[in-house]
Amino acid sequence: MLNIIIGLAVGATVGAVRLLGVKKNRQVRQEIFESQGGKWESVRHSLFMVYFSAMMVIPGGYAVYLGLQENNSVQIILAVALVFLFLSEAYASYDTYQFYYGEKGCILKDKFVRYKSIRYITRETKLSAPEVVTFNGEKYPISMEIANIIVEKADVEIIVLK
């Protein structure tokens, strides 16, 4: 029983730290929404990590069950902590993989980037992920779906280097 309590404490701590990061990101976004005004839209560009993290809870739960059957305290502690880790990661991923864009610009890595400040979008090869490059040299990796939205809104082109 003590093993489960220790596992819950470790898992809850790990989960809380991850969820505090999500809360901070939401506050930053809210400040950007309020300061920039206008209408904002959003696109969820990847649910893979949400589904993967949620699915990993099942083997974690099974590992807890096996640890209880074998009375292996280390396995119980680690498995309970992993269950909490994957639950918090699933929740955080649902929030993280959301792209917000408005009339004047978009949010990349919790920073407001004006469409006018985007120099171009580059890709190393046709198979590599695109990257937004601004006039002041900042680079932001993005998905192809987001690149298409930015190309449409910012009137920039995608440059394939190789």
Side-chain angles (χ1 to χ4, degrees), residues 39-102:
K39 181 182 172 194
W40 287 85
E41 298 179 53
S42 68
V43 172
R44 189 167 313 286
H45 58 93
S46 176
L47 288 174
F48 172 77
M49 283 305 294
V50 175
Y51 294 140
F52 176 75
S53 298
M55 290 298 295
M56 292 308 292
V57 170
I58 295 169
Y62 185 65
V64 171
Y65 170 76
L66 290 178
L68 289 171
Q69 294 296 318
E70 298 170 4
N71 202 17
N72 185 340
S73 60
V74 174
Q75 182 176 351
I76 294 169
I77 293 169
L78 289 175
V80 170
L82 279 175
V83 166
F84 271 87
L85 173 69
F86 285 123
L87 283 173
S88 63
E89 191 60 38
Y91 180 79
S93 295
Y94 189 78
D95 187 68
T96 301
Y97 292 102
Q98 182 113 356
F99 173 66
Y100 295 92
Y101 60 100

Side-chain angles (χ1 to χ4, degrees), residues 2-13 76-78 80-82 84:
L2 179 63
N3 302 332
I4 293 175
I5 293 171
I6 293 171
L8 288 172
V10 170
T13 303
I76 294 169
I77 293 169
L78 289 175
V80 170
L82 279 175
F84 271 87

